[in-house]
């Protein structure tokens, strides 16, 4: 199944919807200090849940920040925009690359 395309949203944000109809990566954007969900339009860390027939990894704190956008119709995970890597993860510098 092909991934859903990124779309240009309001204010020039590039929105990336979840991967439904496969329930693999429902996402939320959280405040890294409080671990609470941020309001739509605010930024924070991406928290993803990978749930499939072959893998179960709930509440996985990603090494990315993003702006939280309301889900598209028919989708359950937040849409995210302006995704960027964090500078450090658990006090270690993040090195971008293929892994």
């Amino acid at each position: 199944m092909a991934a859903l395309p990124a779309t240009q949203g309001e204010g020039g944000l590039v929105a990336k919807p979840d991967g439904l109809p496969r329930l693999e990566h429902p996402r939320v954007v959280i405040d890294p200090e409080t671990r609470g969900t941020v309001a739509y339009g605010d930024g924070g860390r991406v928290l993803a849940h990978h749930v499939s027939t072959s893998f179960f990894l709930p509440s996985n704190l990603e090494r990315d920040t993003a702006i939280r956008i309301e889900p598209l119709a028919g989708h359950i995970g937040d849409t995210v925009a302006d995704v960027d890597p964090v500078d450090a993860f658990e006090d270690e510098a993040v090195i971008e690359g293929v892994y």
Side-chain angles (χ1 to χ4, degrees):
M1 178 171 294
L4 293 171
T7 58
Q8 189 77 26
E10 289 184 32
L13 295 176
V14 176
K16 299 176 194 266
D18 64 31
L20 284 180
R22 297 173 301 165
L23 182 58
E24 289 188 7
H25 299 286
R27 302 174 293 225
V28 295
V29 180
I30 64 168
D31 181 309
E33 301 287 322
T34 66
R35 300 287 177 128
T37 304
V38 301
Y40 291 120
D42 288 346
R45 290 283 295 276
V46 176
L47 183 74
H49 310 284
H50 184 111
V51 180
S52 68
T53 57
S54 61
F55 200 65
F56 180 68
L57 183 61
S59 301
N60 185 44
L61 187 60
E62 298 287 327
R63 294 185 298 175
D64 297 311
T65 62
I67 305 294
R68 182 179 182 219
I69 306 295
E70 290 190 52
L72 300 175
H75 295 258
I76 59 169
D78 287 337
T79 297
V80 295
D82 285 0
V83 177
D84 284 313
V86 295
D87 294 328
F89 188 75
E90 295 181 354
D91 298 324
E92 294 289 327
V94 171
I95 299 170
E96 291 185 71
V98 178
Y99 53 92

